[in-house]
Each structure stands twice: as structure tokens, then as C-alpha cells.
Amino acid sequence: MTAQQEITQRDLRNRSKEIMDAVQGGQAFTVTRDGHRIGELIPLRRRRRFVPRGKFTAMSRTASNISLDAFRADQDATAEQTPDDPYAR
């Protein structure tokens, strides 16, 4: 693991665009004030919204088969079969 680059509070103020562009690019910084560490600027972890087609295809090849009858039986066993009466209080 590489050490984070230290920047002063003044550097952050004066070079904010440059520093924030670097954070957006994946770089992390430790912010100091009067020689003391006071915080970190780190990039957010972004979750992928979609799985690439090739990866999905590869995962599908190794997935186990699903029995539709067993799936429905599991749903029927766990789902409440009678509707609630909203006026039965």
C-alpha cells in the first residue's frame, strides 16, 4: 500500500481544482494544518450498475439450474396466502 501524499490546508485552498481532479482520478491525500494531520481526501468507491455482457455470460454458464416448480413451491410456503383486511382492527 502506498503512502498518501500530504498536503497543507493552504495547498487545498489554493489548488483545490487540481487536487479534486486528482482525487477523482483515484489519488488520496492527507490534509495537514500546522503540521498535524486533520483529515483525508479519498475517492468514493463507485459500484458498477451493470455487469458487462461477457462476464454475465461466463457466470451464467457455471450457474446451477433452477427448477421453476421448486421456486414456486418455496414462494407459496413463505408467502402469506390470505389477504389482510384493512378494516379488521
Short mmCIF file of all heavy atoms in Angstrom, two decimals, residues 33-84:
data_model
loop_
_atom_site.label_atom_id
_atom_site.label_comp_id
_atom_site.label_asym_id
_atom_site.label_seq_id
_atom_site.Cartn_x
_atom_site.Cartn_y
_atom_site.Cartn_z
N ARG A 33 -2.71 20.62 9.02
CA ARG A 33 -2.80 22.01 9.47
C ARG A 33 -1.80 22.18 10.60
O ARG A 33 -1.81 21.41 11.56
CB ARG A 33 -4.20 22.34 9.98
CG ARG A 33 -4.32 23.79 10.42
CD ARG A 33 -5.59 24.10 11.19
NE ARG A 33 -6.79 23.71 10.47
CZ ARG A 33 -7.95 23.47 11.07
NH1 ARG A 33 -8.05 23.54 12.38
NH2 ARG A 33 -9.01 23.13 10.38
N ASP A 34 -0.92 23.14 10.45
CA ASP A 34 0.13 23.37 11.45
C ASP A 34 0.94 22.12 11.71
O ASP A 34 1.32 21.83 12.85
CB ASP A 34 -0.46 23.90 12.76
CG ASP A 34 -1.17 25.24 12.59
OD1 ASP A 34 -0.71 26.04 11.75
OD2 ASP A 34 -2.18 25.47 13.28
N GLY A 35 1.17 21.32 10.66
CA GLY A 35 1.98 20.11 10.78
C GLY A 35 1.27 18.90 11.35
O GLY A 35 1.87 17.84 11.51
N HIS A 36 -0.01 19.03 11.67
CA HIS A 36 -0.79 17.92 12.23
C HIS A 36 -1.79 17.41 11.20
O HIS A 36 -2.44 18.20 10.52
CB HIS A 36 -1.55 18.37 13.49
CG HIS A 36 -0.66 18.90 14.57
ND1 HIS A 36 0.10 18.07 15.37
CD2 HIS A 36 -0.41 20.16 14.97
CE1 HIS A 36 0.78 18.81 16.23
NE2 HIS A 36 0.50 20.09 16.00
N ARG A 37 -1.88 16.12 11.13
CA ARG A 37 -2.87 15.52 10.22
C ARG A 37 -4.27 15.80 10.75
O ARG A 37 -4.56 15.54 11.91
CB ARG A 37 -2.65 14.02 10.12
CG ARG A 37 -1.36 13.66 9.46
CD ARG A 37 -1.23 12.17 9.42
NE ARG A 37 0.02 11.80 8.78
CZ ARG A 37 0.51 10.60 8.79
NH1 ARG A 37 -0.11 9.65 9.44
NH2 ARG A 37 1.64 10.34 8.17
N ILE A 38 -5.14 16.29 9.86
CA ILE A 38 -6.50 16.61 10.30
C ILE A 38 -7.57 15.88 9.49
O ILE A 38 -8.73 15.85 9.88
CB ILE A 38 -6.78 18.13 10.27
CG1 ILE A 38 -6.63 18.67 8.86
CG2 ILE A 38 -5.90 18.86 11.26
CD1 ILE A 38 -7.17 20.08 8.69
N GLY A 39 -7.21 15.31 8.36
CA GLY A 39 -8.23 14.63 7.57
C GLY A 39 -7.65 13.98 6.33
O GLY A 39 -6.46 14.12 6.03
N GLU A 40 -8.53 13.27 5.63
CA GLU A 40 -8.13 12.59 4.40
C GLU A 40 -9.12 12.93 3.30
O GLU A 40 -10.32 13.04 3.55
CB GLU A 40 -8.12 11.08 4.59
CG GLU A 40 -7.08 10.58 5.54
CD GLU A 40 -7.14 9.07 5.68
OE1 GLU A 40 -8.26 8.52 5.80
OE2 GLU A 40 -6.06 8.46 5.66
N LEU A 41 -8.61 13.08 2.11
CA LEU A 41 -9.43 13.18 0.92
C LEU A 41 -9.22 11.89 0.15
O LEU A 41 -8.11 11.58 -0.27
CB LEU A 41 -8.99 14.36 0.04
CG LEU A 41 -9.34 15.74 0.53
CD1 LEU A 41 -8.72 16.80 -0.37
CD2 LEU A 41 -10.85 15.92 0.56
N ILE A 42 -10.29 11.12 0.02
CA ILE A 42 -10.17 9.83 -0.67
C ILE A 42 -11.28 9.73 -1.71
O ILE A 42 -12.37 10.27 -1.52
CB ILE A 42 -10.25 8.65 0.32
CG1 ILE A 42 -11.56 8.68 1.11
CG2 ILE A 42 -9.06 8.63 1.25
CD1 ILE A 42 -11.80 7.47 1.94
N PRO A 43 -11.01 9.04 -2.81
CA PRO A 43 -12.06 8.88 -3.82
C PRO A 43 -13.16 7.96 -3.30
O PRO A 43 -12.91 7.05 -2.52
CB PRO A 43 -11.34 8.25 -5.01
CG PRO A 43 -10.00 7.83 -4.53
CD PRO A 43 -9.74 8.47 -3.22
N LEU A 44 -14.39 8.23 -3.72
CA LEU A 44 -15.51 7.37 -3.36
C LEU A 44 -15.43 6.09 -4.15
O LEU A 44 -14.98 6.07 -5.29
CB LEU A 44 -16.84 8.07 -3.67
CG LEU A 44 -17.17 9.28 -2.82
CD1 LEU A 44 -18.46 9.92 -3.34
CD2 LEU A 44 -17.33 8.88 -1.37
N ARG A 45 -15.86 5.02 -3.53
CA ARG A 45 -15.95 3.75 -4.25
C ARG A 45 -17.24 3.77 -5.04
O ARG A 45 -18.31 4.00 -4.50
CB ARG A 45 -15.99 2.58 -3.27
CG ARG A 45 -14.71 2.42 -2.54
CD ARG A 45 -14.80 1.21 -1.65
NE ARG A 45 -13.67 1.20 -0.74
CZ ARG A 45 -13.58 0.45 0.32
NH1 ARG A 45 -14.57 -0.35 0.62
NH2 ARG A 45 -12.54 0.49 1.08
N ARG A 46 -17.11 3.53 -6.29
CA ARG A 46 -18.29 3.54 -7.15
C ARG A 46 -18.67 2.11 -7.47
O ARG A 46 -17.84 1.34 -7.92
CB ARG A 46 -18.02 4.31 -8.43
CG ARG A 46 -17.79 5.77 -8.13
CD ARG A 46 -17.85 6.58 -9.38
NE ARG A 46 -17.69 7.98 -9.00
CZ ARG A 46 -17.21 8.89 -9.77
NH1 ARG A 46 -16.83 8.58 -10.99
NH2 ARG A 46 -17.10 10.13 -9.36
N ARG A 47 -19.92 1.81 -7.23
CA ARG A 47 -20.42 0.48 -7.57
C ARG A 47 -20.81 0.45 -9.03
O ARG A 47 -21.36 1.40 -9.55
CB ARG A 47 -21.64 0.14 -6.74
CG ARG A 47 -21.30 -0.12 -5.30
CD ARG A 47 -22.51 -0.67 -4.62
NE ARG A 47 -22.75 0.16 -3.45
CZ ARG A 47 -23.76 0.02 -2.65
NH1 ARG A 47 -24.67 -0.87 -2.89
NH2 ARG A 47 -23.91 0.78 -1.61
N ARG A 48 -20.54 -0.66 -9.63
CA ARG A 48 -20.97 -0.83 -11.01
C ARG A 48 -22.46 -1.08 -11.03
O ARG A 48 -22.98 -1.85 -10.25
CB ARG A 48 -20.25 -2.01 -11.63
CG ARG A 48 -18.76 -1.80 -11.73
CD ARG A 48 -18.13 -3.01 -12.28
NE ARG A 48 -18.09 -2.84 -13.72
CZ ARG A 48 -17.33 -3.57 -14.51
NH1 ARG A 48 -16.58 -4.51 -14.02
NH2 ARG A 48 -17.33 -3.36 -15.79
N ARG A 49 -23.14 -0.41 -11.93
CA ARG A 49 -24.58 -0.60 -12.05
C ARG A 49 -24.90 -1.80 -12.93
O ARG A 49 -25.92 -2.43 -12.76
CB ARG A 49 -25.22 0.65 -12.63
CG ARG A 49 -25.10 1.84 -11.69
CD ARG A 49 -25.82 3.00 -12.22
NE ARG A 49 -27.25 2.75 -12.07
CZ ARG A 49 -28.17 3.55 -12.50
NH1 ARG A 49 -27.86 4.63 -13.15
NH2 ARG A 49 -29.44 3.27 -12.34
N PHE A 50 -24.03 -2.09 -13.88
CA PHE A 50 -24.31 -3.17 -14.81
C PHE A 50 -23.12 -4.10 -14.90
O PHE A 50 -21.99 -3.70 -14.75
CB PHE A 50 -24.61 -2.60 -16.20
CG PHE A 50 -25.79 -1.67 -16.21
CD1 PHE A 50 -25.62 -0.31 -16.22
CD2 PHE A 50 -27.08 -2.18 -16.19
CE1 PHE A 50 -26.71 0.55 -16.21
CE2 PHE A 50 -28.17 -1.34 -16.18
CZ PHE A 50 -27.99 0.03 -16.19
N VAL A 51 -23.41 -5.34 -15.15
CA VAL A 51 -22.37 -6.34 -15.35
C VAL A 51 -22.13 -6.43 -16.86
O VAL A 51 -23.09 -6.54 -17.62
CB VAL A 51 -22.81 -7.71 -14.79
CG1 VAL A 51 -21.77 -8.78 -15.09
CG2 VAL A 51 -23.10 -7.61 -13.31
N PRO A 52 -20.90 -6.38 -17.30
CA PRO A 52 -20.63 -6.50 -18.74
C PRO A 52 -21.19 -7.82 -19.29
O PRO A 52 -21.22 -8.84 -18.60
CB PRO A 52 -19.11 -6.48 -18.83
CG PRO A 52 -18.65 -5.83 -17.58
CD PRO A 52 -19.67 -6.17 -16.54
N ARG A 53 -21.65 -7.77 -20.52
CA ARG A 53 -22.29 -8.93 -21.15
C ARG A 53 -21.41 -10.18 -21.09
O ARG A 53 -21.88 -11.26 -20.78
CB ARG A 53 -22.64 -8.60 -22.59
CG ARG A 53 -23.33 -9.75 -23.30
CD ARG A 53 -23.71 -9.37 -24.69
NE ARG A 53 -24.72 -8.32 -24.59
CZ ARG A 53 -25.41 -7.86 -25.60
NH1 ARG A 53 -25.20 -8.33 -26.80
NH2 ARG A 53 -26.31 -6.93 -25.42
N GLY A 54 -20.13 -10.03 -21.39
CA GLY A 54 -19.22 -11.18 -21.38
C GLY A 54 -19.12 -11.81 -20.01
O GLY A 54 -19.09 -13.04 -19.87
N LYS A 55 -19.06 -10.98 -18.97
CA LYS A 55 -18.97 -11.51 -17.60
C LYS A 55 -20.27 -12.21 -17.21
O LYS A 55 -20.25 -13.28 -16.59
CB LYS A 55 -18.66 -10.38 -16.63
CG LYS A 55 -18.37 -10.84 -15.23
CD LYS A 55 -17.87 -9.72 -14.36
CE LYS A 55 -17.51 -10.24 -12.99
NZ LYS A 55 -16.96 -9.21 -12.13
N PHE A 56 -21.41 -11.64 -17.59
CA PHE A 56 -22.69 -12.26 -17.29
C PHE A 56 -22.80 -13.62 -17.98
O PHE A 56 -23.25 -14.60 -17.39
CB PHE A 56 -23.85 -11.35 -17.72
CG PHE A 56 -25.20 -11.97 -17.50
CD1 PHE A 56 -25.75 -11.98 -16.24
CD2 PHE A 56 -25.90 -12.54 -18.54
CE1 PHE A 56 -26.98 -12.55 -16.01
CE2 PHE A 56 -27.13 -13.12 -18.33
CZ PHE A 56 -27.68 -13.12 -17.06
N THR A 57 -22.37 -13.67 -19.23
CA THR A 57 -22.42 -14.92 -19.98
C THR A 57 -21.56 -15.98 -19.32
O THR A 57 -21.97 -17.13 -19.15
CB THR A 57 -21.96 -14.69 -21.43
OG1 THR A 57 -22.78 -13.70 -22.01
CG2 THR A 57 -22.04 -15.95 -22.26
N ALA A 58 -20.36 -15.59 -18.91
CA ALA A 58 -19.45 -16.54 -18.25
C ALA A 58 -20.04 -17.03 -16.92
O ALA A 58 -19.96 -18.22 -16.60
CB ALA A 58 -18.09 -15.90 -18.03
N MET A 59 -20.65 -16.13 -16.16
CA MET A 59 -21.25 -16.53 -14.88
C MET A 59 -22.46 -17.43 -15.11
O MET A 59 -22.70 -18.36 -14.34
CB MET A 59 -21.67 -15.28 -14.09
CG MET A 59 -20.50 -14.49 -13.56
SD MET A 59 -20.86 -12.87 -12.80
CE MET A 59 -22.54 -12.88 -12.42
N SER A 60 -23.21 -17.18 -16.17
CA SER A 60 -24.40 -17.97 -16.45
C SER A 60 -24.05 -19.40 -16.82
O SER A 60 -24.82 -20.32 -16.54
CB SER A 60 -25.20 -17.33 -17.59
OG SER A 60 -25.64 -16.05 -17.20
N ARG A 61 -22.92 -19.58 -17.46
CA ARG A 61 -22.52 -20.93 -17.86
C ARG A 61 -22.28 -21.85 -16.66
O ARG A 61 -22.50 -23.04 -16.73
CB ARG A 61 -21.25 -20.88 -18.70
CG ARG A 61 -21.48 -20.40 -20.10
CD ARG A 61 -20.23 -20.56 -20.96
NE ARG A 61 -20.39 -19.80 -22.17
CZ ARG A 61 -19.64 -18.77 -22.52
NH1 ARG A 61 -18.62 -18.41 -21.78
NH2 ARG A 61 -19.87 -18.12 -23.63
N THR A 62 -21.81 -21.27 -15.56
CA THR A 62 -21.47 -22.08 -14.39
C THR A 62 -22.57 -22.07 -13.33
O THR A 62 -22.43 -22.71 -12.30
CB THR A 62 -20.16 -21.59 -13.76
OG1 THR A 62 -20.32 -20.23 -13.36
CG2 THR A 62 -19.01 -21.71 -14.74
N ALA A 63 -23.67 -21.34 -13.59
CA ALA A 63 -24.75 -21.27 -12.61
C ALA A 63 -25.55 -22.57 -12.61
O ALA A 63 -25.68 -23.24 -13.64
CB ALA A 63 -25.67 -20.10 -12.93
N SER A 64 -26.07 -22.92 -11.44
CA SER A 64 -26.88 -24.14 -11.36
C SER A 64 -28.26 -23.90 -11.98
O SER A 64 -28.73 -22.77 -12.05
CB SER A 64 -27.01 -24.58 -9.91
OG SER A 64 -27.64 -23.55 -9.16
N ASN A 65 -28.89 -24.97 -12.42
CA ASN A 65 -30.23 -24.88 -12.99
C ASN A 65 -31.24 -24.61 -11.89
O ASN A 65 -31.10 -25.09 -10.77
CB ASN A 65 -30.60 -26.16 -13.72
CG ASN A 65 -29.77 -26.35 -14.98
OD1 ASN A 65 -29.35 -25.37 -15.59
ND2 ASN A 65 -29.53 -27.59 -15.36
N ILE A 66 -32.27 -23.85 -12.23
CA ILE A 66 -33.32 -23.54 -11.27
C ILE A 66 -34.59 -24.26 -11.69
O ILE A 66 -35.02 -24.17 -12.84
CB ILE A 66 -33.57 -22.01 -11.21
CG1 ILE A 66 -32.33 -21.30 -10.73
CG2 ILE A 66 -34.76 -21.69 -10.33
CD1 ILE A 66 -32.41 -19.80 -10.80
N SER A 67 -35.19 -24.94 -10.75
CA SER A 67 -36.46 -25.62 -11.01
C SER A 67 -37.59 -24.62 -10.76
O SER A 67 -37.75 -24.12 -9.65
CB SER A 67 -36.62 -26.82 -10.09
OG SER A 67 -37.96 -27.25 -10.09
N LEU A 68 -38.36 -24.32 -11.78
CA LEU A 68 -39.46 -23.38 -11.65
C LEU A 68 -40.50 -23.89 -10.65
O LEU A 68 -41.04 -23.12 -9.85
CB LEU A 68 -40.11 -23.11 -13.00
CG LEU A 68 -41.19 -22.05 -13.04
CD1 LEU A 68 -40.66 -20.71 -12.52
CD2 LEU A 68 -41.74 -21.89 -14.45
N ASP A 69 -40.77 -25.19 -10.66
CA ASP A 69 -41.74 -25.77 -9.72
C ASP A 69 -41.26 -25.63 -8.28
O ASP A 69 -42.04 -25.28 -7.38
CB ASP A 69 -42.00 -27.24 -10.04
CG ASP A 69 -42.72 -27.41 -11.39
OD1 ASP A 69 -43.48 -26.48 -11.77
OD2 ASP A 69 -42.52 -28.45 -12.03
N ALA A 70 -39.97 -25.87 -8.03
CA ALA A 70 -39.43 -25.73 -6.68
C ALA A 70 -39.45 -24.27 -6.24
O ALA A 70 -39.75 -23.97 -5.08
CB ALA A 70 -38.01 -26.29 -6.62
N PHE A 71 -39.16 -23.36 -7.16
CA PHE A 71 -39.18 -21.93 -6.85
C PHE A 71 -40.59 -21.50 -6.45
O PHE A 71 -40.78 -20.81 -5.45
CB PHE A 71 -38.70 -21.14 -8.07
CG PHE A 71 -38.73 -19.65 -7.88
CD1 PHE A 71 -37.80 -19.02 -7.07
CD2 PHE A 71 -39.69 -18.88 -8.52
CE1 PHE A 71 -37.83 -17.65 -6.89
CE2 PHE A 71 -39.73 -17.50 -8.35
CZ PHE A 71 -38.80 -16.89 -7.54
N ARG A 72 -41.59 -21.92 -7.20
CA ARG A 72 -42.98 -21.57 -6.87
C ARG A 72 -43.41 -22.20 -5.55
O ARG A 72 -44.13 -21.58 -4.78
CB ARG A 72 -43.90 -22.00 -8.00
CG ARG A 72 -43.78 -21.11 -9.20
CD ARG A 72 -44.80 -21.46 -10.25
NE ARG A 72 -44.70 -20.53 -11.36
CZ ARG A 72 -45.03 -20.83 -12.60
NH1 ARG A 72 -45.48 -22.03 -12.90
NH2 ARG A 72 -44.92 -19.93 -13.54
N ALA A 73 -42.97 -23.42 -5.30
CA ALA A 73 -43.31 -24.08 -4.04
C ALA A 73 -42.71 -23.32 -2.86
O ALA A 73 -43.36 -23.14 -1.82
CB ALA A 73 -42.83 -25.53 -4.05
N ASP A 74 -41.46 -22.84 -3.01
CA ASP A 74 -40.83 -22.05 -1.95
C ASP A 74 -41.59 -20.74 -1.72
O ASP A 74 -41.79 -20.33 -0.58
CB ASP A 74 -39.37 -21.74 -2.30
CG ASP A 74 -38.47 -22.95 -2.16
OD1 ASP A 74 -38.88 -23.93 -1.51
OD2 ASP A 74 -37.34 -22.89 -2.70
N GLN A 75 -42.01 -20.11 -2.80
CA GLN A 75 -42.77 -18.87 -2.66
C GLN A 75 -44.09 -19.12 -1.95
O GLN A 75 -44.49 -18.37 -1.06
CB GLN A 75 -43.05 -18.24 -4.03
CG GLN A 75 -41.87 -17.52 -4.61
CD GLN A 75 -42.24 -16.81 -5.89
OE1 GLN A 75 -42.97 -17.35 -6.71
NE2 GLN A 75 -41.75 -15.61 -6.05
N ASP A 76 -44.79 -20.17 -2.35
CA ASP A 76 -46.07 -20.50 -1.72
C ASP A 76 -45.91 -20.83 -0.24
O ASP A 76 -46.76 -20.49 0.57
CB ASP A 76 -46.74 -21.68 -2.44
CG ASP A 76 -47.24 -21.30 -3.83
OD1 ASP A 76 -47.40 -20.08 -4.09
OD2 ASP A 76 -47.47 -22.21 -4.64
N ALA A 77 -44.81 -21.47 0.12
CA ALA A 77 -44.58 -21.86 1.51
C ALA A 77 -44.29 -20.65 2.40
O ALA A 77 -44.62 -20.65 3.58
CB ALA A 77 -43.43 -22.86 1.59
N THR A 78 -43.68 -19.62 1.84
CA THR A 78 -43.28 -18.47 2.66
C THR A 78 -44.23 -17.28 2.55
O THR A 78 -44.28 -16.45 3.45
CB THR A 78 -41.87 -18.00 2.29
OG1 THR A 78 -41.84 -17.65 0.91
CG2 THR A 78 -40.84 -19.07 2.58
N ALA A 79 -44.99 -17.20 1.47
CA ALA A 79 -45.88 -16.06 1.29
C ALA A 79 -47.19 -16.30 2.03
O ALA A 79 -47.71 -17.41 2.08
CB ALA A 79 -46.16 -15.85 -0.20
N GLU A 80 -47.71 -15.23 2.58
CA GLU A 80 -49.00 -15.33 3.27
C GLU A 80 -50.09 -15.47 2.20
O GLU A 80 -50.14 -14.71 1.24
CB GLU A 80 -49.24 -14.07 4.10
CG GLU A 80 -50.43 -14.18 4.99
CD GLU A 80 -50.52 -13.02 5.96
OE1 GLU A 80 -49.47 -12.52 6.36
OE2 GLU A 80 -51.64 -12.65 6.28
N GLN A 81 -50.93 -16.45 2.37
CA GLN A 81 -51.91 -16.78 1.34
C GLN A 81 -53.23 -16.03 1.48
O GLN A 81 -54.01 -15.98 0.55
CB GLN A 81 -52.19 -18.30 1.37
CG GLN A 81 -50.95 -19.12 1.07
CD GLN A 81 -50.41 -18.86 -0.33
OE1 GLN A 81 -51.17 -18.78 -1.29
NE2 GLN A 81 -49.11 -18.69 -0.45
N THR A 82 -53.50 -15.47 2.66
CA THR A 82 -54.76 -14.76 2.84
C THR A 82 -54.49 -13.25 2.85
O THR A 82 -53.59 -12.79 3.51
CB THR A 82 -55.45 -15.17 4.15
OG1 THR A 82 -54.55 -14.91 5.22
CG2 THR A 82 -55.80 -16.64 4.13
N PRO A 83 -55.31 -12.52 2.11
CA PRO A 83 -55.11 -11.06 2.10
C PRO A 83 -55.53 -10.46 3.44
O PRO A 83 -56.44 -10.95 4.11
CB PRO A 83 -56.00 -10.58 0.95
CG PRO A 83 -57.01 -11.66 0.76
CD PRO A 83 -56.37 -12.94 1.21
N ASP A 84 -54.87 -9.39 3.81
CA ASP A 84 -55.21 -8.69 5.04
C ASP A 84 -56.47 -7.83 4.80
O ASP A 84 -56.64 -7.25 3.74
CB ASP A 84 -54.08 -7.77 5.48
CG ASP A 84 -52.88 -8.53 6.02
OD1 ASP A 84 -53.07 -9.67 6.46
OD2 ASP A 84 -51.76 -7.98 5.97
#
